[in-house]
Amino acid sequence: MRDEMTYSYTPGQREGTMVLKLTGPLTLSTIFGFQNEFRSMTPQVMVMDFSESPYMDSAGLGLVMNYYVAAQDQGRKLLLAGVNDRVVELFKMTRVHGVLTSFPSVAEAEASL
């Protein structure tokens, strides 16, 4: 069975905030078709909801990190929410856990603003 990933986005609780919900793994085989639209999303604050994303590979991590760097360069924020233990371990292994800001839930991410 081929992995599939879907996504949806909604306005956040605050003006200028967007919540991007991922469903399924964020991997090399699932980012095509998503990556160009994702890169074009430029809200002041992007909250990526990973609560229904079971895992991520290095291609998915690269996409997230590229977005993070672009957002930082433009004075925008990227917050992560609902990241599971498997993805947290990837962050630790690649030493980005201290760079990316993660919260247990979307509500907690938005409350931090």
Side-chain angles (χ1 to χ4, degrees):
M1 185 175 136
R2 185 169 175 246
D3 289 330
E4 292 186 23
M5 194 253 325
T6 60
Y7 61 95
S8 60
Y9 46 92
T10 56
Q13 296 297 316
R14 295 177 186 239
E15 186 175 335
T17 301
M18 178 186 293
V19 177
L20 175 66
K21 182 170 187 67
L22 303 178
T23 303
L26 186 59
T27 64
L28 179 62
S29 65
T30 65
I31 63 174
F32 296 107
F34 165 67
Q35 64 185 344
N36 288 337
E37 184 174 358
F38 176 56
R39 289 176 181 151
S40 71
M41 296 176 188
T42 58
Q44 193 59 38
V45 178
M46 170 73 77
V47 178
M48 289 186 75
D49 181 1
F50 282 90
S51 61
E52 293 186 29
S53 184
Y55 59 93
M56 172 190 305
D57 69 7
S58 60
L61 179 58
L63 180 65
V64 171
M65 290 306 299
N66 286 338
Y67 188 91
Y68 170 81
V69 169
Q72 290 291 303
D73 287 348
Q74 297 169 4
R76 298 181 289 115
K77 289 185 180 183
L78 172 65
L79 304 176
L80 308 181
V83 178
N84 67 36
D85 291 341
R86 185 173 179 179
V87 175
V88 168
E89 286 305 313
L90 173 65
F91 291 169
K92 288 179 181 177
M93 183 173 58
T94 56
R95 300 180 188 253
V96 300
H97 64 285
V99 175
L100 298 172
T101 305
S102 185
F103 296 88
S105 70
V106 170
E108 289 172 85
E110 289 191 293
S112 76
L113 300 172

